[in-house]
Amino acid sequence: MYCDFVLITGKYNMPLILGELHILYCIFHMHISVCTRQIKFHPLRYFCLWRHVQIAAHSHVLVAFILITCGFSYFLYDFKGADPGIKNSLLPVSMSFVGAAMIRAAVCWLGPAFRRPVAFRSYSSAPEHTSLKSVPYGTTLKQEGGPSGPSKPLPRSADVVVIGGGSLGCQTLYHLAKMGMKNAVLLERDRLTAGTTWHTAGLLWQLRPSDVEVELLAHTRQVVSSDLEQETGLHTGWIQNGGLFIASNKQRLDEYKRLMSLGKVYGIESYVLSPSETKDLYPLMNVEDLYGTLYVPKDGTMDPAGTCSTLARAATARGATVIENCPVSGIHVQTDDLGVHRVRAVETPHGTIQTPCVVNCAGVWAEKLGRMAGVNVPLIAMHHAYVVTERIEGIQNMPNVRDHDASVYLRLQGDALSVGGYEQNPIFWDEVSDKFAFSLFDLDWDVFMQHIEGAINRIPVLERTGIKSTVCGPESFTPDHKPLMGEAPEVRGFFLGCGFNSAGMMLGGGCGRELAHWIIHGRPEKDMYGYDIRRFHHSLTNSNRWIRERSHESYAKNYSVVFPYDEPLASRNMRRDPLHQVLLEKGCIFQERHGWERPGYFSRDGPAPVLDYDYYGAYGTSRNSIYKYNDLLGKEYTFDFPAHHHVIKDECLTCRNAVAVFNMSYFGKFFLIGPDAKQAADWLFSADVNKAVGSTIYTCMLNKEGGVESDLTVSRIEPPAAGQSPLAPAFEGHGYYLAVGGAVAQHNWSHIQAVLQDRGFRCTLLDHSEDIGMISIQGPKSRHLLQDVLDADLSNEAFPFSTHKVVQAAGHQVRAMRLSFVGEMGWELHIPRDSCVPVYQAVMAAGAKYGVCNAGYRAIDSLSIEKGYRHWHADLRPDDSPLEAGLAFTCKLRSSTPFLGREALEARQACGLRRRILCFTVGEKVPMFGLEAIFRNGTPIGHLRRSDFGFALDKTIGYGYIRDPDGGLVNADFVKSGKFTIERMGVVYDATAHLKSPFDPENKRVKGIY
């Protein structure tokens, strides 16, 4: 049997055709090359031989022999060439890092080789595993021959039952107890940490490209490095050895400089180092290919057993209960009189605990636990691995290293290193075993070897260092590589604290505190929307394709640079509006927002469709070799102005000077009807939406702390004359039509439903998002265009701003609303699905003589920030109040009508604002994207939440919340008396602060006054 493969030796690529004689030649050649070093040779490249050669089953032994021979030869060479003082200390187990890898791979491969071809890689793993103890920690909580029953008697009831004794479970229990909850119980099916926590690498990095995550990490660090030891007198195992981020190119270093600037706002010490400075800090590191590094001295490592056992002790000291060896067999859910599903009890083989609240912290087993309660938990289990080296002289006290470009991390492990990373072909664990406790998989060297070369390149001494142990265990991963937290929309009282993507230790403290606050007070203190399970539309959370593809892509891209305009390639085209194909043919480049395809911008180079996901060529799939959409994305991978900056400019200026059409069909469109609809609307919405029929009101929805859960428009509608129409359901009394951003529609839906349930309102919320399309026609010439299409008078007197009417458009019934999200005169047309294409075509035909253009959300982002309009979850979040956000006009505080959050707003208003949003403009034409640090008189006072370029102003514009470092009021005098600067990637720029938007501050344009 013959096969083709490529043998790479240093700088030579030699295609060979191999039979069995060639294999014998390779054995001899590899032995001579390794032992004599007569040619420039890297043994890793020979290791690739076994991954590419397909041979008959009887030749598998020969290939294994190649690996073993080369591995031992390499060891013998190292032994022969070693310093005499070192020879005597060498043992056979201390073979070279590479030689060990070869031998282990060969030995592990011999068995399976006779059962399947080498080149075929299984898409998912078999449920086989080993229970060998290989983690690099001196202590674990594993107990041999332990008790078969619960470690403590089960209570009859509990206020909260936390399920899962890993990092998140222990942190949540600790913070529940610390917040005063005495009757909280944690159930662990085996011993604490037994699932995935016990084998974690335990790294903690303080800087992330998210202000919320920086705060969460800071709290974890505070808990493990200080709080627990003060409370218990026990050391958790925290080691502060610092962290070092490696940049091999300018874009990577730019990303790190962004983190450094954000860190200054939070007082996190960090330094950008040159290659020579990096070499001084880490003498064993190869710096020849470095562009620079980011050094964070107070990063460190955590010990899982020490941390979790200390958390448990601190929690039980405050009245909580930890019960080990007690698996959960069921969740009792009951339906109340209003049809709401609620948690009632937790069932175990040893008894039942009555409880109104369950917290799912079960890690890779969380999906199964969710099914017990009828809750979708969109995560998937994968193998995740690292190897532990033998002792390395001179490695002591070195910082942990993240070499993102090589997709590898190096964790200090005493006098050794743990080496791991994220590969593009991770192994899925489809058959998750309930018996898997303190267990590890056999490491698949075929998958893991891609990390070895990067590790050796960065730390060359690894080439001559032995492998002490391998650690390959299961971890849970999610579709966007963010945890799953909060109350499940399907069942009240069922909370999630799972899916932490290998970051459960470092995010555990911050997330445990937020989850505890969520349970006790109904919401977290911080903006946790990015982790909230309600960020995902319900049509996605039970889609196996979406979960699998998106989780794979998020895993494979975990170490990729986080660029502002990146888009996923996995599981696209899940939700498409009626105009999708028409706009695709016009060159629309789509963005994905939680399943929806929405227009990003319009390319002048023709259609660029999104193709089926190719897994980046993993698992035997073929890469999409000709992929225009992906090529366009690649051109946007920059922290400078993007490649299509001029295209966005044309769309924006056409809107400002003529007229543009935006397809906004992905918006959520809900109807609120029922006997208590008026009372519900008064309570839900901060503005007075109970105006006359035909009114459309911009409003917020708040939480009880006065934070903004949503901004939306609410239109007062009348029942359709015919009893029902495509634009409204049949109803009696008051009815309301709600339009909300499509990316946050599920969050809005869940928030409204929870409020209706908690208040007992007799209302129905109907979702017609898929049934109604929406286009927005904006610009000075929008009235002229639409007057040729609609059968209504569009004058200011007949159709004033913030009103709506049902009219005819090209023979089709539509709901026209005079609104704007870009600061221009314009109308939205809400159109029955089947009428979307003909109405759109009529609009575009009528607009040709006015210079109409299609425009996307990239233009909306620029136009809206130029006008000063807010984007929810960017410059408007659940931890921002309308008063701080400059949206006091949306609150009916002058009326006597109670509404959710009113009391909190009134208290804040009485105390004065100590935090508020400001607009900043930068004179220099430099791109900013958010997270840039804001300084007043040289002192950091906040950071930009959102930033973009305003083409009408011809300036960079940013919005951010600022504070007085001395705790004083942030009023107009504070703003006017300060000199402001903004730091972007380490460079400081002068900035001008504005109390009002500098573009059309008198709001004339939206009123049609030009």
Side-chain angles (χ1 to χ4, degrees):
M1 174 175 276
Y2 296 88
C3 64
D4 295 336
F5 79 105
V6 176
L7 179 65
I8 305 173
T9 62
K11 55 188 176 182
Y12 297 102
N13 291 353
M14 298 181 293
L16 300 177
I17 298 178
L18 278 185
E20 292 165 357
L21 291 177
H22 288 103
I23 295 176
L24 294 176
Y25 165 79
C26 286
I27 295 173
F28 174 77
H29 181 70
M30 294 170 81
H31 180 83
I32 296 300
S33 298
V34 171
C35 290
T36 65
R37 297 282 181 93
Q38 291 179 354
I39 62 173
K40 185 177 181 180
F41 169 73
H42 197 306
L44 269 169
R45 293 179 168 85
Y46 275 100
F47 186 84
C48 295
L49 172 68
W50 82 281
R51 297 180 60 213
H52 298 289
V53 179
Q54 291 183 342
I55 53 180
H58 64 272
S59 297
H60 289 166
V61 177
L62 293 177
V63 175
F65 182 59
I66 293 174
L67 302 173
I68 294 173
T69 301
C70 187
F72 273 113
S73 298
Y74 199 83
F75 162 64
L76 289 173
Y77 172 81
D78 283 345
F79 182 84
K80 180 180 69 176
D83 182 86
I86 301 176
K87 281 185 182 179
N88 293 336
S89 65
L90 291 176
L91 296 175
V93 295
S94 297
M95 62 188 68
S96 78
F97 194 63
V98 177
M102 292 178 174
I103 293 171
R104 286 173 183 267
V107 173
C108 293
W109 184 59
L110 274 172
F114 287 96
R115 296 193 298 269
R116 68 172 187 264
V118 180
F120 178 74
R121 169 59 44 201
S122 177
Y123 188 75
S124 61
S125 68
E128 301 172 358
H129 61 269
T130 175
S131 298
L132 295 177
K133 177 181 176 182
S134 300
V135 295
Y137 302 108
T139 302
T140 69
L141 302 181
K142 183 178 182 180
Q143 192 175 49
E144 301 293 345
S148 58
S151 60
K152 294 179 183 177
L154 270 65
R156 297 183 61 184
S157 64
D159 294 329
V160 178
V161 175
V162 179
I163 302 174
S167 172
L168 252 294
C170 291
Q171 288 278 13
T172 302
L173 186 75
Y174 165 73
H175 284 92
L176 284 169
K178 198 167 185 177
M179 292 180 189
M181 182 171 283
K182 303 293 185 184
N183 191 19
V185 175
L186 184 149
L187 299 180
E188 164 54 46
R189 62 186 176 88
D190 195 274
R191 298 269 293 172
L192 295 182
T193 76
T196 61
T197 298
W198 80 292
H199 60 71
T200 181
L203 295 160
L204 191 149
W205 317 92
Q206 295 178 89
L207 293 177
R208 304 270 278 201
S210 160
D211 59 326
V212 174
E213 290 189 353
V214 168
E215 295 172 6
L216 295 173
L217 292 166
H219 184 68
T220 299
R221 188 182 181 284
Q222 176 66 27
V223 169
V224 300
S225 68
S226 178
D227 291 355
L228 286 174
E229 188 165 357
Q230 291 179 9
E231 291 181 35
T232 65
L234 300 175
H235 183 53
T236 62
W238 164 255
I239 299 173
Q240 180 179 298
N241 60 312
L244 194 60
F245 288 5
I246 306 300
S248 301
N249 55 68
K250 180 182 182 297
Q251 290 178 332
R252 183 69 74 178
L253 192 60
D254 284 347
E255 181 183 40
Y256 295 160
K257 288 177 179 178
R258 278 171 53 80
L259 299 182
M260 178 187 67
S261 293
L262 178 63
K264 291 180 180 179
V265 178
Y266 290 96
I268 297 174
E269 183 183 2
S270 66
Y271 308 93
V272 172
L273 305 182
S274 68
S276 62
E277 291 171 326
T278 303
K279 186 70 172 180
D280 292 340
L281 175 67
Y282 204 124
L284 294 179
M285 183 173 289
N286 168 34
V287 300
E288 292 181 2
D289 58 346
L290 291 193
Y291 203 87
T293 59
L294 179 68
Y295 175 49
V296 188
K298 295 183 181 179
D299 285 353
T301 56
M302 298 168 286
D303 177 81
T307 299
C308 289
S309 60
T310 308
L311 286 166
R313 179 170 295 193
T316 55
R318 294 175 181 270
T321 302
V322 175
I323 303 176
E324 297 175 291
N325 303 307
C326 187
V328 170
S329 54
I331 308 291
H332 291 180
V333 176
Q334 291 184 352
T335 305
D336 65 17
D337 295 340
L338 296 176
V340 181
H341 302 302
R342 298 183 184 274
V343 169
R344 285 292 174 259
V346 174
E347 183 178 326
T348 80
H350 310 287
T352 299
I353 303 175
Q354 301 295 320
T355 183
C357 182
V358 164
V359 190
N360 183 352
C361 297
V364 298
W365 295 269
E367 189 273 337
K368 184 174 184 179
L369 188 66
R371 276 189 275 120
M372 294 181 184
V375 171
N376 292 323
V377 181
L379 58 75
I380 197 163
M382 300 183 194
H383 291 204
H384 191 56
Y386 60 90
V387 298
V388 184
T389 73
E390 297 284 358
R391 183 178 184 276
I392 302 173
E393 185 63 36
I395 204 70
Q396 296 82 354
N397 301 317
M398 290 295 102
N400 302 315
V401 173
R402 256 188 173 180
D403 191 341
H404 290 100
D405 295 316
S407 194
V408 68
Y409 67 80
L410 306 164
R411 181 226 202 259
L412 184 68
Q413 201 75 54
D415 58 1
L417 287 177
S418 292
V419 180
Y422 290 83
E423 54 280 345
Q424 292 199 347
N425 57 334
I427 298 174
F428 293 90
W429 192 30
D430 289 330
E431 300 178 29
V432 178
S433 170
D434 290 340
K435 306 297 183 182
F436 200 95
F438 291 110
S439 300
L440 297 172
F441 302 110
D442 291 331
L443 181 63
D444 189 324
W445 283 97
D446 191 17
V447 173
F448 190 81
M449 274 302 297
Q450 56 196 285
H451 304 304
I452 300 298
E453 190 161 7
I456 291 175
N457 175 64
R458 189 58 53 221
I459 311 294
V461 70
L462 288 177
E463 195 169 16
R464 299 183 301 278
T465 303
I467 298 173
K468 185 177 181 180
S469 63
T470 66
V471 182
C472 181
E475 292 280 3
S476 57
F477 294 91
T478 63
D480 60 359
H481 216 72
K482 301 292 184 185
L484 308 175
M485 293 179 62
E487 190 174 30
E490 300 96 332
V491 177
R492 301 299 302 274
F494 191 95
F495 284 80
L496 300 178
C498 52
F500 274 79
N501 305 280
S502 294
M505 282 294 291
M506 67 176 171
L507 288 172
C511 289
R513 179 176 67 174
E514 294 305 309
L515 193 51
H517 198 278
W518 217 326
I519 293 164
I520 294 173
H521 300 288
R523 63 169 302 274
E525 283 189 297
K526 300 186 186 303
D527 165 39
M528 298 299 290
Y529 172 74
Y531 292 5
D532 192 336
I533 182 61
R534 298 176 298 171
R535 70 190 185 271
F536 295 135
H537 191 261
H538 63 81
S539 67
L540 302 178
T541 57
N542 64 355
S543 167
N544 290 332
R545 173 200 161 196
W546 178 76
I547 295 170
R548 195 179 195 90
E549 289 186 1
R550 286 293 296 272
S551 297
H552 170 269
E553 183 178 34
S554 296
Y555 181 101
K557 293 181 66 174
N558 184 43
Y559 277 1
S560 298
V561 177
V562 181
F563 289 111
Y565 299 116
D566 197 11
E567 292 290 331
L569 298 177
S571 285
R572 296 292 296 267
N573 299 315
M574 298 289 287
R575 304 177 75 193
R576 293 182 289 190
D577 64 65
L579 296 174
H580 182 271
Q581 186 61 34
V582 173
L583 298 185
L584 176 65
E585 293 169 359
K586 292 181 179 293
C588 183
I589 307 303
F590 286 94
Q591 300 173 331
E592 189 274 346
R593 294 298 178 268
H594 295 300
W596 277 111
E597 298 292 322
R598 75 175 192 183
Y601 66 94
F602 286 80
S603 170
R604 297 164 184 171
D605 299 325
V610 180
L611 305 181
D612 288 343
Y613 186 49
D614 61 7
Y615 284 90
Y616 295 91
Y619 314 117
T621 59
S622 298
R623 291 297 303 265
N624 292 319
S625 56
I626 302 175
Y627 198 173
K628 185 175 179 181
Y629 180 86
N630 193 27
D631 294 340
L632 290 172
L633 276 186
K635 295 178 181 178
E636 301 278 288
Y637 289 169
T638 179
F639 291 109
D640 293 325
F641 286 117
H644 301 95
H645 189 65
H646 65 289
V647 177
I648 313 304
K649 176 181 179 179
D650 289 349
E651 293 180 9
C652 290
L653 293 183
T654 301
C655 181
R656 289 277 183 246
N657 300 318
V659 61
V661 176
F662 301 88
N663 175 26
M664 304 174 74
S665 296
Y666 95 118
F667 258 50
K669 306 163 201 80
F670 307 147
F671 291 95
L672 179 64
I673 58 176
D676 295 338
K678 181 180 184 299
Q679 297 95 307
D682 281 338
W683 181 252
L684 273 167
F685 307 120
S686 62
D688 181 6
V689 300
N690 279 305
K691 306 288 187 179
V693 170
S695 63
T696 296
I697 306 298
Y698 173 69
T699 182
C700 295
M701 289 192 291
L702 310 180
N703 52 52
K704 66 179 182 180
E705 300 301 324
V708 181
E709 291 288 339
S710 169
D711 70 328
L712 68 161
T713 58
V714 178
S715 300
R716 176 91 186 279
I717 60 174
E718 61 183 354
Q724 186 161 349
S725 103
L727 293 173
F731 66 92
E732 297 179 358
H734 285 67
Y736 306 87
Y737 176 55
L738 285 54
V740 302
V744 296
Q746 183 68 52
H747 175 83
N748 278 258
W749 173 273
S750 299
H751 173 76
I752 295 170
Q753 289 284 33
V755 172
L756 298 180
Q757 293 165 8
D758 291 344
R759 300 289 294 186
F761 290 127
R762 295 170 298 158
C763 291
T764 301
L765 187 66
L766 303 175
D767 186 354
H768 283 238
S769 302
E770 305 276 357
D771 306 323
I772 300 174
M774 174 181 166
I775 59 175
S776 182
I777 300 92
Q778 300 288 324
K781 298 181 181 179
S782 60
R783 177 183 280 142
H784 297 298
L785 186 160
L786 287 173
Q787 198 66 76
D788 295 340
V789 177
L790 306 182
D791 68 343
D793 182 354
L794 302 182
S795 66
N796 286 339
E797 296 74 22
F799 209 141
F801 184 75
S802 200
T803 63
H804 72 270
K805 294 180 180 180
V806 175
V807 299
Q808 291 289 316
H812 298 264
Q813 192 177 66
V814 304
R815 188 182 302 279
M817 297 184 182
R818 187 168 173 190
L819 294 170
S820 179
F821 194 52
V822 296
E824 299 295 333
M825 178 176 65
W827 281 260
E828 294 175 359
L829 302 183
H830 295 245
I831 313 166
R833 184 178 184 90
D834 293 341
S835 300
C836 284
V837 172
V839 171
Y840 166 79
Q841 291 173 335
V843 167
M844 296 303 291
K849 60 185 175 183
Y850 301 110
V852 70
C853 79
N854 286 296
Y857 269 85
R858 293 277 288 276
I860 288 179
D861 290 342
S862 170
L863 294 163
S864 62
I865 199 170
E866 192 167 49
K867 179 59 185 127
Y869 291 152
R870 308 288 181 257
H871 276 196
W872 193 83
H873 201 242
D875 38 21
L876 189 62
R877 306 192 311 200
D879 53 346
D880 303 322
S881 78
L883 306 179
E884 298 165 336
L887 297 179
F889 69 91
T890 67
C891 301
K892 47 182 180 265
L893 291 173
R894 294 182 180 178
S895 75
S896 59
T897 305
F899 60 91
L900 179 59
R902 175 169 186 149
E903 293 181 0
L905 282 189
E906 290 174 332
R908 293 192 191 196
Q909 191 175 51
C911 295
L913 295 182
R914 286 174 166 75
R915 174 178 174 271
R916 68 179 296 171
I917 198 168
L918 273 189
C919 172
F920 296 92
T921 55
V922 178
E924 297 186 50
K925 291 186 178 179
V926 57
M928 295 185 182
F929 307 102
L931 299 183
E932 292 82 6
I934 304 169
F935 292 80
R936 178 181 180 272
N937 300 335
T939 302
I941 58 169
H943 66 275
L944 296 184
R945 287 276 194 84
R946 183 162 73 104
S947 186
D948 212 318
F949 194 82
F951 294 100
L953 293 176
D954 200 29
K955 291 183 178 180
T956 294
I957 306 166
Y959 277 82
Y961 289 80
I962 66 169
R963 298 177 183 269
D964 181 352
D966 298 326
L969 298 179
V970 180
N971 50 30
D973 290 339
F974 178 83
V975 175
K976 294 176 181 178
S977 62
K979 174 178 171 49
F980 292 91
T981 55
I982 294 177
E983 181 179 313
R984 171 192 181 268
M985 296 190 298
V987 180
V988 177
Y989 298 89
D990 290 336
T992 302
H994 305 269
L995 292 169
K996 296 180 68 174
S997 168
F999 178 81
D1000 188 25
E1002 297 179 359
N1003 292 322
K1004 290 182 178 181
R1005 299 173 76 96
V1006 296
K1007 300 172 185 175
I1009 303 172
Y1010 285 93

